[in-house]
Amino acid sequence: MRVLVTGGAGFIGSHTTLSLLEQGHDVLVVDDLSNSSEESLRRVAELAGREPGFVKANVRDEQALDAAFADFKPEAVIHFAGWKAVGESTQIPLVYYRENVGSTITLLETMAKHDCHTIVFSSSATVYGELSEPPFVEDAPTGATNPYGRTKHMVEQILTDVAAADPQLRVGILRYFNPIGAHESGRIGEDPKGIPNNLLPFVAQVAAGRREKLMVFGDDYPTPDGTGTRDYIHVVDLAAGHLAALDYLGNNDGCHVWNLGTGKPNSVLEVVHAFEAASGVEIPYEIVARRPGDVASSYANVDRAHQELGWRAEKSVADACADTYRWQSANPNGFGEG
Ligand code: NAD
Ligand code: WQD
């Protein structure tokens, strides 16, 4: 199948592009490289033994997108492109609405113009907000507590409305829990700019000696060890979930929502200890105040993805720590070197 992948040079997009190429699909990546490097795609090509096409463009650039669709004639789209830092989204909300919501509208209009009727969208467990208790089921009430989360929630609603108006459109909304890990080759992985917001990249940089210690945000949550618990899902499992969703949409109409997680919560300290075991490096840490906006616990009910997609996470947090450490050690400055 010809699959157009927006944001395909990024963390999850590069791993999914590799899986698509390995499964024999043709891929065109559209990415403005605002949070990534073309080096990731060179490495994807090296691992896959063949190249994805690449157009450097913003998804909001109607002319560039139109030309990409006219040339490549995609049969399906996977839409990763977007900005994702919760804290930043509270500082520059308009950029988030523009890049995340605006890009999706341009993309859907261009798909309709070029008779492309299948889209898989990167949503987030953040849409469960604080409206219900984990494990979250897909039919739980949704909302969001910050501008980033609201862009995801809005795009989910836009996709639902557009699918209701256009019976030809097939939509898969994937709610990722906490993506971590790297390809087992150590050639591609997560390459955050500046100080990492997320736990695993921060821990990896402490292990590499780039940061002195981890700040653990709170140990007074109502969890077994008092630190926050999350559903950490290996990025290679996540990539497989996208291929399963595309398969499903090949045979089923309508708009569908699936959680992609493991279904198992792990605490911050469990992740720290798993990383120490995988790397053999001690991770110094200090307990500090809770981070504003954090919830105690978030994890998925994964029954629907298993039943409908035949998909299940295969890899463990220990696997993800080992793969992250391999990636970090071989590429201390991410794609900038190595
Ligand atoms: P990432 O930043 O590594 O990848 C996003 C890619 O999109 C980058 O390569 C960036 O250059 C590109 N991009 C951003 N805006 C663009 C635009 N308007 N036009 C063209 N390219 C654009 O992020 P990621 O972790 O791979 O996340 C991919 C998607 O999954 C995002 O939509 C994100 O919100 C969503 N998501 C991520 C997580 C997570 O924790 N990583 C969790 C849930 C959902
Ligand atoms: C995980 C746990 C922290 C860093 C975010 C977004 C969410 C989704 C995934 C995109 C929490 C603790 C973290 C640190 C720490 N992204 N922590 N010290 O907050 O669950 O989810 O990324 O959709 O929308 O909100 O992930 O990795 O930041 O935190 O103690 O330096 O690690 O408090 O318990 P989070 P995270």
Side-chain angles (χ1 to χ4, degrees):
M1 191 192 286
R2 288 184 304 280
V3 186
L4 188 145
V5 178
T6 76
F11 172 44
I12 307 168
S14 58
H15 289 81
T16 305
T17 295
L18 175 58
S19 296
L20 287 163
L21 291 170
E22 285 173 342
Q23 296 299 313
H25 299 288
D26 293 322
V27 180
L28 177 67
V29 168
V30 177
D31 196 307
D32 66 359
L33 304 181
S34 53
N35 196 38
S36 56
S37 143
E38 207 177 334
E39 176 64 14
S40 70
L41 294 178
R42 282 191 278 276
R43 298 203 186 173
V44 164
E46 157 205 307
L47 291 166
R50 63 198 187 95
E51 287 184 15
F54 175 56
V55 171
K56 182 175 179 228
N58 191 294
V59 177
R60 290 180 297 103
D61 180 338
E62 287 173 34
Q63 285 182 353
L65 203 61
D66 191 62
F69 270 76
D71 183 44
F72 184 64
K73 299 183 176 52
E75 293 153 282
V77 170
I78 306 182
H79 183 33
F80 293 104
W83 290 39
K84 63 170 182 177
V86 172
E88 183 183 59
S89 80
T90 67
Q91 305 297 317
I92 48 170
L94 276 179
V95 173
Y96 275 71
Y97 288 111
R98 187 185 70 203
E99 296 301 325
N100 294 3
V101 181
S103 69
T104 307
I105 293 171
T106 304
L107 181 60
L108 288 168
E109 286 173 341
T110 309
M111 286 175 62
K113 183 175 167 194
H114 290 272
D115 276 325
C116 178
H117 304 295
T118 300
I119 180 167
V120 172
F121 172 64
S122 299
S123 190
S124 167
T126 194
V127 300
Y128 292 114
E130 294 171 40
L131 297 167
S132 56
E133 291 297 312
F136 297 116
V137 289
E138 287 86 348
D139 293 332
T142 54
T145 56
N146 56 71
Y148 165 73
R150 275 189 277 280
T151 68
K152 292 293 171 189
H153 193 231
M154 272 177 205
V155 170
E156 288 200 1
Q157 292 172 312
I158 290 169
L159 289 167
T160 306
D161 288 343
V162 176
D166 175 4
Q168 272 189 292
L169 191 65
R170 297 173 177 205
V171 177
I173 292 171
L174 303 182
R175 293 185 184 146
Y176 314 151
F177 278 70
N178 286 60
I180 58 168
H183 190 258
E184 63 181 6
S185 64
R187 295 293 289 159
I188 56 172
E190 189 169 8
D191 183 18
K193 293 191 164 67
I195 301 172
N197 297 307
N198 295 114
L199 178 63
L200 243 288
F202 201 104
V203 168
Q205 292 194 4
V206 173
R210 277 177 73 180
R211 312 214 172 261
E212 189 196 339
K213 62 182 170 190
L214 172 72
M215 303 297 171
V216 175
F217 299 140
D219 68 348
D220 56 352
Y221 285 106
T223 59
D225 66 17
T227 65
T229 63
R230 297 291 184 272
D231 185 336
Y232 295 98
I233 167 95
H234 196 295
V235 64
V236 171
D237 280 334
L238 207 51
H242 292 75
L243 275 79
L246 277 184
D247 265 0
Y248 183 92
L249 295 175
N251 300 309
N252 295 276
D253 293 332
C255 181
H256 308 268
V257 183
W258 295 287
N259 286 337
L260 295 185
T262 65
K264 294 182 208 79
N266 279 102
S267 74
V268 176
L269 292 182
E270 284 172 337
V271 170
V272 168
H273 297 320
F275 203 96
E276 289 179 329
S279 64
V281 178
E282 192 193 342
I283 308 295
Y285 67 84
E286 182 185 339
I287 308 288
V288 299
R290 291 182 181 189
R291 183 172 62 180
D294 274 357
V295 294
S297 181
S298 168
Y299 59 100
N301 175 310
V302 292
D303 293 347
R304 187 187 284 179
H306 183 56
Q307 284 158 12
E308 295 186 351
L309 303 180
W311 172 91
R312 220 198 259 283
E314 309 276 346
K315 292 175 181 277
S316 64
V317 168
D319 295 329
C321 289
D323 293 335
T324 300
Y325 187 60
R326 192 176 304 112
W327 152 252
Q328 175 74 46
S329 307
N331 306 272
N333 293 313
F335 291 111
E337 185 187 277

